[in-house]
Amino acid sequence: MVRCIAVLLGTALSALVMVGVVAPAAAAEPDDATDAEAQLAERYAPVMMLVDQPDACGPGEPYVPSDVDAMMGESSVALRGPWTDRDLITVGPTAEQLSAGLEGYALDEPGNPLKPGCDYERWATGVWGSDPQPTIYAHVATESGIEDRIAIQYFFFYPFNDYNNKHEADWERIQVELPVGDVEAALETDPDQVLYAQHYGAERALWSDDKLQIDEETHPVVYVSAGSHASQYDEGLYLGRSAAEGFGCDTTIGPHHEVRPEVRTIPQDPEAAAEAYPWITYRGHWGEIGPQRFYEGPTGPNMKQAWNKPFTWSDKARDHSFSLPGAEVAGSEAGAYFCTLVSAGSDAFRQFSADPAPTLLILLAVLFALGWVVRRSGWAEAAPLPVVARRRPGRVVAAALKMLAGHWQVFLLVAAPAAAASVASSVIAALVPPGAWWWSVLSGAVLLVLVLSLAWAQVASAQAVLDLGTGRPVTLGSLLRLTRDRAPALLATVALWALIVVPLFLTGILLPVALVLLVAWSLVLPVVQLEGRSGWRALSRSWALVRPQLLTVLLVLAISAALVSVLGGALAALAFVIFPAPFGVVSGIPQLVTTLAWPVTALLTTYAWANGRARETSR
């Protein structure tokens, strides 16, 4: 019955929209205020640098900031209702029809954002032409309660977002701010800062900052990230580690073509704005919603916080982004690896969202193969005690996991400090606005606590295994006491390890050497804690234990790497797909899972150490 009522309401609304419940208003005559706003908007209009696309459907940026009017009445665009993802209201909706508001509705472009191919690029060429006139929309904004500032916002519309979270349509913006309260005064004043929107956040620059390029004294230069359209201050590769930065890689590396778009000013007065641009009152999505909301089309300018509260929005901006300048990208293997990994993971997740069956079949096949390997290696016969015993590779893993299963409370207690630091880090990142010096100090302090907690979890787990094997009671106090006595040796050894390995990683060329040393010195922490060695003697001792059981150590390290790097991301993806969980929760899952799984990696390396000791005594 409820469904029938919803359908009848949808049909009625569709009919009303089709006949034009919202009648088109006569165009308003421009007044002095509108003329002044347009003059101000023209003065600070951005110059946009877009990455060249030499070949259609190839690398580069295929779109320019586009005229929204071309979409209005376009027969290939559908307006869908909010009840299901297939509720068709009308085809080719007009600006007047959208002006009814229609919150929760969606403009559906032809194509599938989860499998875009070249469909959207070809569609955009059909709608806007092969050489469209770049067009942007300006809006002069003030905020209630703030009488001494004014902002000029520039909104850019693109037909498609070809980033990790691909979606139909894309609205981007920058904001120029002046320290005066009205348009007339702004015409006589210089700006003091600008904001460039980047994904869910923004980056600020003072008008006098060196990073801000200004053309002809008044026009900020915007480098548009290929695919995502995030606005950047320079050419480079931008590495994002959060939603605000855009998790993944944005590139503005050229060659570029310069775009000086036509500026259309949306009046500050709401009634005049609705008359001049009826679509500006549309409250729905510009792009399909679909079953996976991570890939839904965005809402328009009027639905953004910055539209009515420009300075509340700008107060949350950060002062810098982490980037590799264009000249350094080619030599940065670490940067290239990060971008490749994130891109591959995003592609895999998108394919899973579009068609989960093949991915699930592959995962089942992998699990079956792992089960076969574990069974062949003697899993069932493995026992965690005695700790020091000679074992085959699979039995080393099995003994470690059985120790965990039998004494999980102990190892959960060991993981608790690192888990608490992880949660604190996620809460700070989600709730505390970045930028202030105390934010950096607080974040750095929490990160230091997290690293020290993980190191303590590693050696405390090793000590707990040894104590459980000898029948000694294990308490938090006993672990703190025994690990505290070895703390100076541990710190000295880790410092020596970092002094050697980290520079090798940073060179890129010597990365294989660094990986070899990681394997050779992988047992150094149990050596320090359980054998009382430190420094170079501990590192050499680790290699002596690794060399005769290299296959076992490689298996242990592979499982540890999978737990640390894959498990958290997989659980976060499942939380997102199944529930779906809020983004703030999802983004904190991988780090939390890593801290909880850390004692497992410690158990694996401890039993590998014990296996090496047993091999020595049996020779």
Side-chain angles (χ1 to χ4, degrees), residues 142-159:
T142 56
E143 183 171 339
S144 176
I146 301 177
E147 307 299 332
D148 58 349
R149 294 193 68 76
I150 196 168
I152 314 123
Q153 301 167 336
Y154 297 92
F155 291 92
F156 322 130
F157 176 80
Y158 299 91

Side-chain angles (χ1 to χ4, degrees), residues 75-126:
S75 60
S76 60
V77 176
L79 176 64
R80 300 192 183 277
W83 306 285
T84 75
D85 61 347
R86 306 309 301 168
D87 289 320
L88 179 62
I89 302 301
T90 188
V91 172
T94 65
E96 286 73 20
Q97 290 167 343
L98 297 183
S99 68
L102 308 178
E103 187 165 353
Y105 287 60
L107 293 173
D108 188 359
E109 299 173 0
N112 180 358
L114 298 182
K115 298 179 179 179
C118 197
D119 294 345
Y120 291 97
E121 188 171 335
R122 295 192 184 99
W123 172 75
T125 300

